Amino acid sequence: VCAQVCRRPCYCPWLPPRCPRGSPLVLDGCGCCKICARRLGEPCDFLHVCDQSQGLICDYSTASAGTGATCNFEDSEEGCEVNGRVYRDGEVFQPSCKLQCRCLDGGFTCVPLCQEDIRLPTPDCPYPRRVEVPGKCCPEWICETRDPHLRRDAGAVSPSLPYACQEWGTEWSACSATCGVGFSTRVSNQNRYCRLETQRRLCTARPCPALPAAPLVVS
């Protein structure tokens, strides 16, 4: 195969190709020209090699069925792809400084790394607000001085409140279920009485794997 495909000397483009995110430049199967490594599930052959840094090989097991070879894990373990990068099953990774995730059965679950603490108004800090701080990953609480010239339309005015409500709340928490439907929570004062309350909403991390069918017993 090598003698039929590989030609000497090499004739390569002057400029190497621009690869998609997560696909590094590698030498082709002839060791001649630089190409973009194929990623998980992409077609491959002798020339178009898979990304070995991610543990991928060109799997020819489906070639006999007429679908062609594809890049797959060498040990046939399931993995997950996030932002163009492939992670092995069970691998823990951080897609951002605020999240820590784990690859599991072809999907992934994440937990927040920033604390979802709540700061209530106090006499010395009547208007606490959570803000992004330059150079820091997690937001922090600050004591905001309310502008006396604040316009009435700057906040939501409830019919039952004689003053403008300065809305604030925490970020939504991670989903309570690792698969299927769960719920996430947050604390917010975005209600008609401008009171702190715990709010919930439905969420889905990933679909649950299908259960194997029970064997039919004939008596």
Side-chain angles (χ1 to χ4, degrees), residues 99-129:
L99 290 176
Q100 178 172 290
C101 304
R102 183 179 180 220
C103 182
L104 183 65
D105 297 333
F108 61 93
T109 57
C110 301
V111 294
L113 296 177
C114 296
Q115 295 183 356
E116 297 295 334
D117 57 333
I118 303 170
R119 182 164 185 175
L120 301 178
T122 58
D124 60 333
C125 185
Y127 304 108
R129 188 164 65 95

PDB file of all heavy atoms in Angstrom, residues 99-129:
ATOM      1  N   LEU A  99     -15.675  25.959  35.746  1.00  0.00           N
ATOM      2  CA  LEU A  99     -16.317  24.648  35.685  1.00  0.00           C
ATOM      3  C   LEU A  99     -15.291  23.526  35.735  1.00  0.00           C
ATOM      4  O   LEU A  99     -14.197  23.652  35.189  1.00  0.00           O
ATOM      5  CB  LEU A  99     -17.142  24.507  34.399  1.00  0.00           C
ATOM      6  CG  LEU A  99     -18.412  25.337  34.257  1.00  0.00           C
ATOM      7  CD1 LEU A  99     -19.011  25.127  32.881  1.00  0.00           C
ATOM      8  CD2 LEU A  99     -19.415  24.979  35.327  1.00  0.00           C
ATOM      9  N   GLN A 100     -15.666  22.440  36.391  1.00  0.00           N
ATOM     10  CA  GLN A 100     -14.885  21.201  36.344  1.00  0.00           C
ATOM     11  C   GLN A 100     -15.816  20.101  35.866  1.00  0.00           C
ATOM     12  O   GLN A 100     -16.894  19.904  36.427  1.00  0.00           O
ATOM     13  CB  GLN A 100     -14.314  20.849  37.717  1.00  0.00           C
ATOM     14  CG  GLN A 100     -13.530  19.527  37.717  1.00  0.00           C
ATOM     15  CD  GLN A 100     -12.813  19.282  39.024  1.00  0.00           C
ATOM     16  OE1 GLN A 100     -11.846  19.954  39.343  1.00  0.00           O
ATOM     17  NE2 GLN A 100     -13.299  18.333  39.797  1.00  0.00           N
ATOM     18  N   CYS A 101     -15.407  19.405  34.805  1.00  0.00           N
ATOM     19  CA  CYS A 101     -16.283  18.430  34.165  1.00  0.00           C
ATOM     20  C   CYS A 101     -15.649  17.048  34.168  1.00  0.00           C
ATOM     21  O   CYS A 101     -14.445  16.898  34.351  1.00  0.00           O
ATOM     22  CB  CYS A 101     -16.591  18.852  32.721  1.00  0.00           C
ATOM     23  SG  CYS A 101     -17.322  20.505  32.585  1.00  0.00           S
ATOM     24  N   ARG A 102     -16.492  16.061  33.939  1.00  0.00           N
ATOM     25  CA  ARG A 102     -16.034  14.670  33.859  1.00  0.00           C
ATOM     26  C   ARG A 102     -16.714  13.995  32.691  1.00  0.00           C
ATOM     27  O   ARG A 102     -17.931  14.096  32.520  1.00  0.00           O
ATOM     28  CB  ARG A 102     -16.371  13.922  35.157  1.00  0.00           C
ATOM     29  CG  ARG A 102     -15.845  12.493  35.157  1.00  0.00           C
ATOM     30  CD  ARG A 102     -16.182  11.802  36.454  1.00  0.00           C
ATOM     31  NE  ARG A 102     -15.690  10.430  36.469  1.00  0.00           N
ATOM     32  CZ  ARG A 102     -16.356   9.400  36.964  1.00  0.00           C
ATOM     33  NH1 ARG A 102     -17.543   9.591  37.474  1.00  0.00           N
ATOM     34  NH2 ARG A 102     -15.834   8.198  36.964  1.00  0.00           N
ATOM     35  N   CYS A 103     -15.917  13.357  31.851  1.00  0.00           N
ATOM     36  CA  CYS A 103     -16.435  12.621  30.706  1.00  0.00           C
ATOM     37  C   CYS A 103     -16.997  11.288  31.191  1.00  0.00           C
ATOM     38  O   CYS A 103     -16.322  10.550  31.921  1.00  0.00           O
ATOM     39  CB  CYS A 103     -15.306  12.394  29.685  1.00  0.00           C
ATOM     40  SG  CYS A 103     -15.844  11.530  28.193  1.00  0.00           S
ATOM     41  N   LEU A 104     -18.231  10.976  30.796  1.00  0.00           N
ATOM     42  CA  LEU A 104     -18.887   9.767  31.298  1.00  0.00           C
ATOM     43  C   LEU A 104     -19.833   9.214  30.249  1.00  0.00           C
ATOM     44  O   LEU A 104     -20.815   9.867  29.875  1.00  0.00           O
ATOM     45  CB  LEU A 104     -19.651  10.076  32.594  1.00  0.00           C
ATOM     46  CG  LEU A 104     -20.332   8.910  33.296  1.00  0.00           C
ATOM     47  CD1 LEU A 104     -19.289   7.907  33.792  1.00  0.00           C
ATOM     48  CD2 LEU A 104     -21.169   9.402  34.463  1.00  0.00           C
ATOM     49  N   ASP A 105     -19.527   8.013  29.750  1.00  0.00           N
ATOM     50  CA  ASP A 105     -20.403   7.277  28.832  1.00  0.00           C
ATOM     51  C   ASP A 105     -20.797   8.092  27.602  1.00  0.00           C
ATOM     52  O   ASP A 105     -21.956   8.131  27.197  1.00  0.00           O
ATOM     53  CB  ASP A 105     -21.669   6.809  29.561  1.00  0.00           C
ATOM     54  CG  ASP A 105     -21.366   5.823  30.678  1.00  0.00           C
ATOM     55  OD1 ASP A 105     -20.337   5.122  30.579  1.00  0.00           O
ATOM     56  OD2 ASP A 105     -22.141   5.771  31.645  1.00  0.00           O
ATOM     57  N   GLY A 106     -19.830   8.791  27.029  1.00  0.00           N
ATOM     58  CA  GLY A 106     -20.095   9.551  25.818  1.00  0.00           C
ATOM     59  C   GLY A 106     -20.622  10.943  26.064  1.00  0.00           C
ATOM     60  O   GLY A 106     -20.693  11.739  25.131  1.00  0.00           O
ATOM     61  N   GLY A 107     -20.999  11.276  27.286  1.00  0.00           N
ATOM     62  CA  GLY A 107     -21.451  12.617  27.637  1.00  0.00           C
ATOM     63  C   GLY A 107     -20.547  13.182  28.713  1.00  0.00           C
ATOM     64  O   GLY A 107     -19.495  12.624  29.023  1.00  0.00           O
ATOM     65  N   PHE A 108     -20.941  14.299  29.301  1.00  0.00           N
ATOM     66  CA  PHE A 108     -20.128  14.890  30.359  1.00  0.00           C
ATOM     67  C   PHE A 108     -21.021  15.649  31.326  1.00  0.00           C
ATOM     68  O   PHE A 108     -22.080  16.170  30.945  1.00  0.00           O
ATOM     69  CB  PHE A 108     -19.045  15.802  29.790  1.00  0.00           C
ATOM     70  CG  PHE A 108     -19.557  16.966  29.004  1.00  0.00           C
ATOM     71  CD1 PHE A 108     -19.768  18.202  29.604  1.00  0.00           C
ATOM     72  CD2 PHE A 108     -19.832  16.845  27.653  1.00  0.00           C
ATOM     73  CE1 PHE A 108     -20.240  19.275  28.881  1.00  0.00           C
ATOM     74  CE2 PHE A 108     -20.309  17.912  26.917  1.00  0.00           C
ATOM     75  CZ  PHE A 108     -20.508  19.129  27.533  1.00  0.00           C
ATOM     76  N   THR A 109     -20.606  15.671  32.592  1.00  0.00           N
ATOM     77  CA  THR A 109     -21.292  16.426  33.626  1.00  0.00           C
ATOM     78  C   THR A 109     -20.320  17.422  34.236  1.00  0.00           C
ATOM     79  O   THR A 109     -19.114  17.149  34.305  1.00  0.00           O
ATOM     80  CB  THR A 109     -21.850  15.499  34.720  1.00  0.00           C
ATOM     81  OG1 THR A 109     -20.772  14.713  35.268  1.00  0.00           O
ATOM     82  CG2 THR A 109     -22.896  14.562  34.155  1.00  0.00           C
ATOM     83  N   CYS A 110     -20.816  18.567  34.685  1.00  0.00           N
ATOM     84  CA  CYS A 110     -19.959  19.632  35.201  1.00  0.00           C
ATOM     85  C   CYS A 110     -20.489  20.133  36.536  1.00  0.00           C
ATOM     86  O   CYS A 110     -21.699  20.093  36.796  1.00  0.00           O
ATOM     87  CB  CYS A 110     -19.882  20.798  34.210  1.00  0.00           C
ATOM     88  SG  CYS A 110     -19.245  20.350  32.573  1.00  0.00           S
ATOM     89  N   VAL A 111     -19.568  20.597  37.373  1.00  0.00           N
ATOM     90  CA  VAL A 111     -19.921  21.243  38.634  1.00  0.00           C
ATOM     91  C   VAL A 111     -19.237  22.605  38.672  1.00  0.00           C
ATOM     92  O   VAL A 111     -18.128  22.766  38.164  1.00  0.00           O
ATOM     93  CB  VAL A 111     -19.489  20.395  39.853  1.00  0.00           C
ATOM     94  CG1 VAL A 111     -20.267  19.104  39.915  1.00  0.00           C
ATOM     95  CG2 VAL A 111     -17.998  20.098  39.818  1.00  0.00           C
ATOM     96  N   PRO A 112     -19.878  23.622  39.264  1.00  0.00           N
ATOM     97  CA  PRO A 112     -19.264  24.951  39.325  1.00  0.00           C
ATOM     98  C   PRO A 112     -18.141  24.988  40.345  1.00  0.00           C
ATOM     99  O   PRO A 112     -18.201  24.355  41.400  1.00  0.00           O
ATOM    100  CB  PRO A 112     -20.429  25.855  39.739  1.00  0.00           C
ATOM    101  CG  PRO A 112     -21.385  24.954  40.450  1.00  0.00           C
ATOM    102  CD  PRO A 112     -21.242  23.604  39.805  1.00  0.00           C
ATOM    103  N   LEU A 113     -17.074  25.730  40.028  1.00  0.00           N
ATOM    104  CA  LEU A 113     -15.947  25.896  40.932  1.00  0.00           C
ATOM    105  C   LEU A 113     -16.048  27.191  41.734  1.00  0.00           C
ATOM    106  O   LEU A 113     -15.334  27.362  42.723  1.00  0.00           O
ATOM    107  CB  LEU A 113     -14.626  25.880  40.147  1.00  0.00           C
ATOM    108  CG  LEU A 113     -14.285  24.573  39.439  1.00  0.00           C
ATOM    109  CD1 LEU A 113     -12.995  24.725  38.645  1.00  0.00           C
ATOM    110  CD2 LEU A 113     -14.167  23.424  40.426  1.00  0.00           C
ATOM    111  N   CYS A 114     -16.890  28.102  41.307  1.00  0.00           N
ATOM    112  CA  CYS A 114     -17.085  29.354  42.040  1.00  0.00           C
ATOM    113  C   CYS A 114     -18.183  29.172  43.080  1.00  0.00           C
ATOM    114  O   CYS A 114     -19.230  28.572  42.788  1.00  0.00           O
ATOM    115  CB  CYS A 114     -17.462  30.484  41.079  1.00  0.00           C
ATOM    116  SG  CYS A 114     -16.169  30.880  39.881  1.00  0.00           S
ATOM    117  N   GLN A 115     -17.967  29.687  44.275  1.00  0.00           N
ATOM    118  CA  GLN A 115     -18.943  29.565  45.336  1.00  0.00           C
ATOM    119  C   GLN A 115     -20.185  30.390  45.029  1.00  0.00           C
ATOM    120  O   GLN A 115     -20.092  31.523  44.571  1.00  0.00           O
ATOM    121  CB  GLN A 115     -18.344  30.016  46.671  1.00  0.00           C
ATOM    122  CG  GLN A 115     -17.208  29.131  47.167  1.00  0.00           C
ATOM    123  CD  GLN A 115     -16.703  29.572  48.526  1.00  0.00           C
ATOM    124  OE1 GLN A 115     -17.144  30.571  49.057  1.00  0.00           O
ATOM    125  NE2 GLN A 115     -15.782  28.818  49.078  1.00  0.00           N
ATOM    126  N   GLU A 116     -21.338  29.786  45.287  1.00  0.00           N
ATOM    127  CA  GLU A 116     -22.603  30.479  45.079  1.00  0.00           C
ATOM    128  C   GLU A 116     -23.088  31.062  46.404  1.00  0.00           C
ATOM    129  O   GLU A 116     -24.221  30.846  46.827  1.00  0.00           O
ATOM    130  CB  GLU A 116     -23.639  29.499  44.511  1.00  0.00           C
ATOM    131  CG  GLU A 116     -23.296  28.938  43.152  1.00  0.00           C
ATOM    132  CD  GLU A 116     -23.279  30.021  42.077  1.00  0.00           C
ATOM    133  OE1 GLU A 116     -23.969  31.036  42.256  1.00  0.00           O
ATOM    134  OE2 GLU A 116     -22.580  29.837  41.075  1.00  0.00           O
ATOM    135  N   ASP A 117     -22.213  31.798  47.100  1.00  0.00           N
ATOM    136  CA  ASP A 117     -22.587  32.380  48.377  1.00  0.00           C
ATOM    137  C   ASP A 117     -23.534  33.560  48.161  1.00  0.00           C
ATOM    138  O   ASP A 117     -23.588  34.154  47.092  1.00  0.00           O
ATOM    139  CB  ASP A 117     -21.354  32.836  49.159  1.00  0.00           C
ATOM    140  CG  ASP A 117     -20.518  33.826  48.352  1.00  0.00           C
ATOM    141  OD1 ASP A 117     -20.570  33.760  47.110  1.00  0.00           O
ATOM    142  OD2 ASP A 117     -19.823  34.651  48.966  1.00  0.00           O
ATOM    143  N   ILE A 118     -24.273  33.864  49.181  1.00  0.00           N
ATOM    144  CA  ILE A 118     -25.272  34.921  49.121  1.00  0.00           C
ATOM    145  C   ILE A 118     -24.933  35.985  50.165  1.00  0.00           C
ATOM    146  O   ILE A 118     -24.675  35.663  51.328  1.00  0.00           O
ATOM    147  CB  ILE A 118     -26.687  34.362  49.394  1.00  0.00           C
ATOM    148  CG1 ILE A 118     -27.018  33.250  48.390  1.00  0.00           C
ATOM    149  CG2 ILE A 118     -27.730  35.456  49.336  1.00  0.00           C
ATOM    150  CD1 ILE A 118     -28.265  32.497  48.732  1.00  0.00           C
ATOM    151  N   ARG A 119     -24.914  37.230  49.759  1.00  0.00           N
ATOM    152  CA  ARG A 119     -24.685  38.332  50.679  1.00  0.00           C
ATOM    153  C   ARG A 119     -25.966  39.143  50.785  1.00  0.00           C
ATOM    154  O   ARG A 119     -26.418  39.742  49.813  1.00  0.00           O
ATOM    155  CB  ARG A 119     -23.523  39.217  50.226  1.00  0.00           C
ATOM    156  CG  ARG A 119     -23.245  40.358  51.201  1.00  0.00           C
ATOM    157  CD  ARG A 119     -21.901  40.978  50.974  1.00  0.00           C
ATOM    158  NE  ARG A 119     -21.600  41.979  51.983  1.00  0.00           N
ATOM    159  CZ  ARG A 119     -20.427  42.611  52.080  1.00  0.00           C
ATOM    160  NH1 ARG A 119     -19.465  42.329  51.225  1.00  0.00           N
ATOM    161  NH2 ARG A 119     -20.232  43.499  53.034  1.00  0.00           N
ATOM    162  N   LEU A 120     -26.542  39.164  51.984  1.00  0.00           N
ATOM    163  CA  LEU A 120     -27.774  39.891  52.199  1.00  0.00           C
ATOM    164  C   LEU A 120     -27.481  41.357  52.514  1.00  0.00           C
ATOM    165  O   LEU A 120     -26.407  41.688  53.023  1.00  0.00           O
ATOM    166  CB  LEU A 120     -28.559  39.258  53.359  1.00  0.00           C
ATOM    167  CG  LEU A 120     -28.934  37.777  53.177  1.00  0.00           C
ATOM    168  CD1 LEU A 120     -29.659  37.272  54.404  1.00  0.00           C
ATOM    169  CD2 LEU A 120     -29.790  37.584  51.945  1.00  0.00           C
ATOM    170  N   PRO A 121     -28.430  42.246  52.231  1.00  0.00           N
ATOM    171  CA  PRO A 121     -28.229  43.659  52.573  1.00  0.00           C
ATOM    172  C   PRO A 121     -28.064  43.863  54.075  1.00  0.00           C
ATOM    173  O   PRO A 121     -28.773  43.250  54.882  1.00  0.00           O
ATOM    174  CB  PRO A 121     -29.514  44.315  52.052  1.00  0.00           C
ATOM    175  CG  PRO A 121     -30.036  43.386  51.012  1.00  0.00           C
ATOM    176  CD  PRO A 121     -29.671  42.011  51.477  1.00  0.00           C
ATOM    177  N   THR A 122     -27.125  44.706  54.458  1.00  0.00           N
ATOM    178  CA  THR A 122     -26.864  45.054  55.847  1.00  0.00           C
ATOM    179  C   THR A 122     -26.783  46.574  55.957  1.00  0.00           C
ATOM    180  O   THR A 122     -26.644  47.264  54.943  1.00  0.00           O
ATOM    181  CB  THR A 122     -25.553  44.417  56.338  1.00  0.00           C
ATOM    182  OG1 THR A 122     -24.480  44.860  55.487  1.00  0.00           O
ATOM    183  CG2 THR A 122     -25.634  42.893  56.307  1.00  0.00           C
ATOM    184  N   PRO A 123     -26.847  47.119  57.186  1.00  0.00           N
ATOM    185  CA  PRO A 123     -26.760  48.576  57.316  1.00  0.00           C
ATOM    186  C   PRO A 123     -25.496  49.173  56.718  1.00  0.00           C
ATOM    187  O   PRO A 123     -25.528  50.265  56.144  1.00  0.00           O
ATOM    188  CB  PRO A 123     -26.822  48.787  58.829  1.00  0.00           C
ATOM    189  CG  PRO A 123     -27.567  47.598  59.338  1.00  0.00           C
ATOM    190  CD  PRO A 123     -27.160  46.464  58.459  1.00  0.00           C
ATOM    191  N   ASP A 124     -24.358  48.469  56.869  1.00  0.00           N
ATOM    192  CA  ASP A 124     -23.122  48.997  56.305  1.00  0.00           C
ATOM    193  C   ASP A 124     -22.962  48.660  54.826  1.00  0.00           C
ATOM    194  O   ASP A 124     -22.065  49.169  54.160  1.00  0.00           O
ATOM    195  CB  ASP A 124     -21.914  48.470  57.093  1.00  0.00           C
ATOM    196  CG  ASP A 124     -21.836  46.953  57.049  1.00  0.00           C
ATOM    197  OD1 ASP A 124     -22.898  46.313  56.896  1.00  0.00           O
ATOM    198  OD2 ASP A 124     -20.713  46.411  57.161  1.00  0.00           O
ATOM    199  N   CYS A 125     -23.823  47.791  54.296  1.00  0.00           N
ATOM    200  CA  CYS A 125     -23.779  47.434  52.864  1.00  0.00           C
ATOM    201  C   CYS A 125     -25.209  47.188  52.392  1.00  0.00           C
ATOM    202  O   CYS A 125     -25.628  46.047  52.220  1.00  0.00           O
ATOM    203  CB  CYS A 125     -22.897  46.200  52.662  1.00  0.00           C
ATOM    204  SG  CYS A 125     -22.639  45.747  50.932  1.00  0.00           S
ATOM    205  N   PRO A 126     -25.978  48.277  52.206  1.00  0.00           N
ATOM    206  CA  PRO A 126     -27.399  48.098  51.863  1.00  0.00           C
ATOM    207  C   PRO A 126     -27.643  47.599  50.444  1.00  0.00           C
ATOM    208  O   PRO A 126     -28.696  47.057  50.158  1.00  0.00           O
ATOM    209  CB  PRO A 126     -27.975  49.508  52.056  1.00  0.00           C
ATOM    210  CG  PRO A 126     -26.803  50.418  51.839  1.00  0.00           C
ATOM    211  CD  PRO A 126     -25.601  49.683  52.347  1.00  0.00           C
ATOM    212  N   TYR A 127     -26.665  47.796  49.543  1.00  0.00           N
ATOM    213  CA  TYR A 127     -26.860  47.392  48.148  1.00  0.00           C
ATOM    214  C   TYR A 127     -25.704  46.512  47.672  1.00  0.00           C
ATOM    215  O   TYR A 127     -24.837  46.960  46.924  1.00  0.00           O
ATOM    216  CB  TYR A 127     -26.996  48.623  47.243  1.00  0.00           C
ATOM    217  CG  TYR A 127     -28.099  49.558  47.676  1.00  0.00           C
ATOM    218  CD1 TYR A 127     -27.799  50.777  48.255  1.00  0.00           C
ATOM    219  CD2 TYR A 127     -29.433  49.200  47.497  1.00  0.00           C
ATOM    220  CE1 TYR A 127     -28.801  51.627  48.663  1.00  0.00           C
ATOM    221  CE2 TYR A 127     -30.446  50.046  47.896  1.00  0.00           C
ATOM    222  CZ  TYR A 127     -30.136  51.259  48.481  1.00  0.00           C
ATOM    223  OH  TYR A 127     -31.132  52.104  48.890  1.00  0.00           O
ATOM    224  N   PRO A 128     -25.640  45.253  48.143  1.00  0.00           N
ATOM    225  CA  PRO A 128     -24.569  44.364  47.670  1.00  0.00           C
ATOM    226  C   PRO A 128     -24.818  43.943  46.227  1.00  0.00           C
ATOM    227  O   PRO A 128     -25.958  43.753  45.795  1.00  0.00           O
ATOM    228  CB  PRO A 128     -24.658  43.173  48.621  1.00  0.00           C
ATOM    229  CG  PRO A 128     -26.077  43.154  49.074  1.00  0.00           C
ATOM    230  CD  PRO A 128     -26.528  44.584  49.098  1.00  0.00           C
ATOM    231  N   ARG A 129     -23.729  43.815  45.477  1.00  0.00           N
ATOM    232  CA  ARG A 129     -23.847  43.419  44.067  1.00  0.00           C
ATOM    233  C   ARG A 129     -22.660  42.549  43.697  1.00  0.00           C
ATOM    234  O   ARG A 129     -21.530  42.830  44.090  1.00  0.00           O
ATOM    235  CB  ARG A 129     -23.912  44.642  43.165  1.00  0.00           C
ATOM    236  CG  ARG A 129     -24.227  44.320  41.707  1.00  0.00           C
ATOM    237  CD  ARG A 129     -24.662  45.573  40.969  1.00  0.00           C
ATOM    238  NE  ARG A 129     -23.573  46.539  40.886  1.00  0.00           N
ATOM    239  CZ  ARG A 129     -22.749  46.644  39.838  1.00  0.00           C
ATOM    240  NH1 ARG A 129     -22.888  45.820  38.806  1.00  0.00           N
ATOM    241  NH2 ARG A 129     -21.811  47.557  39.812  1.00  0.00           N
TER     242      ARG A 129
END
